[in-house]
Amino acid sequence: MPAPPEPDVAREWLATMTLIRRFEERAGEMYARAKIGGFLHLSIGEEATIVGSARALRDSDYLVSTYRSHGHALVRGTPPENVMAELFGRVDGCSGGRGGSMHMFDLSRRFMGGYGIVGGNLPIAAGIALAGDYRGTDDVTLCTFGDGASNQGTFGETLNLAALWRLPVVFIVTNNQFGMGTALRRHSAVTDLQRKGESLGVPGMRCDGMDVLDTYRVVCEAVQRVREKRRPLLIEAVTYRFRGHSMADPEQYRSKDEVARWRERDPIPAFGELLISEGIIDEAEREQIDEQARARVDAAVAFAEASPFPEPESLYDNVYVLDREVQGWYSIETADDRGRRPEAAAAEGAPGVAVPAAANDEIPQQLTHALTVGEDASEPTEGAG
């Protein structure tokens, strides 16, 4: 086993893994109490893969996740209060309460989101890496996805283009042994997932995803190679999720004995024991780290409960992007307006049409603002009639 990092770094890794575990456990409880809607995918058991891979990145690098994304948001530094508020669908959530469990996002920390579509994040990660090339930076994009996504068409298409265009992206497949409820050997003809990219020009590596040190070591090597050589790599992180695919999963496809065997390799107690044996922490400090994580999660739940729901009037906000670089207009047509050109309608001050940028420098940034513009335009001018 590799030697642990510097004491302060080691403590932070253990604290972050513990925070993710306690957060996910509480999220499951809140889902059972109907505080969280939709689907909920927990990463309990995969904390070493999350922390070990993310800590191999610079702050300027990009991280792209899947629908199992709470831990990735937390490891990138998104406050647990904002992550929990997002799960609750509240305005203080990291996506404004609109994304929920599968669509966490934090641009300020270059966490480029969770994605509900299996494999849908792969081409997006390639696009982010391509943007970095256009800008002339040495930033690397780390794209995580599950073993089931390696069978999607986007996998082959994206890896092919990434190799062809020499994009600085590290693809890491989180092999937790199941694509939803289907075992790896039943859904993939190639079970050695690190080799799935070889025919596409993307060489592979493997790490023990239950060991934060081994994950960190392998991902560090991959990130360095990608950053310097500008060629993509694929990593297979062999891990296991202790809970079902989602909260709706009855887990009839695996035995309790199998789960118990994997739990013997729980990455959090294992790393804690290592730090104790190395004299970095003692048992009292490990308990303190756990207590602090529980307290932070308690605070996150209280914060989420106190945060309001988005106003109904804001339903269509963030659907369109209009600014000085994206010219256009919002059209909220009535029956009388249909069939008229938006340019002419705007020039005539027709109700419900926001004036394009050429005629008005104040472009409405949200649809609710555009509606206000339309209402103002519909009011009769002084002396009219």
Side-chain angles (χ1 to χ4, degrees):
M1 177 178 290
E6 294 296 320
D8 288 345
V9 174
R11 291 188 186 95
E12 188 275 323
W13 288 8
L14 179 61
T16 303
M17 287 197 293
T18 304
L19 175 63
I20 294 171
R21 174 68 60 87
R22 298 312 181 199
F23 184 96
E24 295 288 65
E25 290 172 344
R26 183 61 64 82
E29 293 175 10
M30 294 298 102
Y31 186 89
R33 297 180 184 180
K35 297 290 185 180
I36 298 171
F39 289 97
L40 187 73
H41 305 85
L42 305 177
S43 57
I44 295 174
E46 300 179 6
E47 295 88 353
T49 299
I50 295 169
V51 174
S53 60
R55 290 297 174 260
L57 301 175
R58 297 175 181 172
D59 289 343
S60 61
D61 292 331
Y62 295 92
L63 176 61
V64 184
S65 183
T66 66
Y67 46 76
R68 204 180 302 277
S69 61
H70 318 152
H72 290 109
L74 294 171
V75 79
R76 281 304 260 182
T78 306
E81 291 83 359
N82 300 114
V83 179
M84 189 66 77
E86 188 59 40
L87 292 178
F88 278 45
R90 309 300 177 95
V91 295
D92 293 307
C94 56
S95 297
R98 287 170 158 75
S101 174
M102 294 191 284
H103 299 97
M104 300 288 165
F105 190 84
D106 193 340
L107 178 60
S108 65
R109 294 173 175 84
R110 297 206 166 182
F111 173 56
M112 306 309 288
Y115 292 88
I117 298 176
V118 176
N121 60 336
L122 288 157
I124 293 173
I128 294 169
L130 180 62
D133 266 0
Y134 271 117
R135 294 191 179 104
T137 72
D138 66 349
D139 299 332
V140 169
T141 299
L142 178 67
C143 178
T144 71
F145 57 100
D147 49 284
S150 69
N151 302 319
Q152 293 289 96
T154 51
F155 174 82
E157 295 168 0
T158 302
L159 267 66
N160 176 65
L161 277 180
L164 182 65
W165 293 347
R166 301 186 62 169
L167 299 180
V169 56
V170 176
F171 299 100
I172 180 166
V173 52
T174 304
N175 178 9
N176 60 21
Q177 314 305 311
F178 295 94
M180 294 186 69
T182 305
L184 174 65
R185 67 181 183 278
R186 296 182 58 209
H187 73 66
S188 180
V190 176
T191 56
D192 188 2
L193 299 185
Q194 65 174 323
R195 303 192 63 182
K196 279 191 117 171
E198 290 178 354
S199 65
L200 302 167
V202 181
M205 308 169 70
R206 177 185 286 134
C207 68
D208 181 356
M210 304 297 281
D211 181 346
V212 66
L213 295 175
D214 190 59
T215 301
Y216 175 75
R217 177 187 63 82
V218 173
V219 178
C220 274
E221 179 183 344
V223 167
Q224 182 180 358
R225 286 170 57 183
V226 169
R227 200 184 306 278
E228 293 175 354
K229 297 182 179 180
R230 316 304 285 179
R231 289 186 179 276
L233 284 173
L234 172 66
I235 299 172
E236 176 189 7
V238 181
T239 184
Y240 198 83
R241 52 172 167 77
F242 297 157
R243 297 285 186 92
H245 169 73
S246 72
M247 289 294 291
D249 183 0
E251 298 188 66
Q252 296 178 346
Y253 50 85
R254 61 183 183 179
S255 67
K256 293 182 178 180
D257 289 341
E258 177 183 327
V259 177
R261 287 195 299 271
W262 278 93
R263 280 188 176 273
E264 293 175 0
R265 299 187 57 210
D266 192 322
I268 299 177
F271 190 57
E273 290 295 335
L274 174 64
L275 299 190
I276 291 174
S277 67
E278 294 287 334
I280 296 175
I281 64 172
D282 55 24
E283 185 60 40
E285 186 171 359
R286 177 161 69 169
E287 292 178 0
Q288 182 182 29
I289 288 172
D290 188 52
E291 291 172 1
Q292 290 172 343
R294 292 176 184 272
R296 189 69 192 274
V297 172
D298 287 343
V301 171
F303 178 87
E305 289 272 24
S307 178
F309 287 103
E311 292 292 335
E313 293 79 9
S314 68
L315 178 63
Y316 296 105
D317 286 357
N318 302 305
V319 175
Y320 300 101
V321 176
L322 292 182
D323 55 27
R324 297 184 187 280
E325 296 180 359
V326 184
Q327 299 296 312
W329 57 85
Y330 293 100
S331 177
I332 305 93
E333 295 182 335
T334 66
D336 294 336
D337 293 328
R338 293 193 184 108
R340 301 174 61 192
R341 292 180 60 84
E343 298 91 337
E348 297 170 16
V353 181
V355 181
N360 184 2
D361 288 338
E362 296 298 327
I363 303 173
Q365 296 300 300
Q366 300 292 353
L367 185 56
T368 49
H369 301 157
L371 287 165
T372 302
V373 171
E375 291 168 358
D376 292 342
S378 66
E379 295 177 359
T381 59
E382 187 175 344

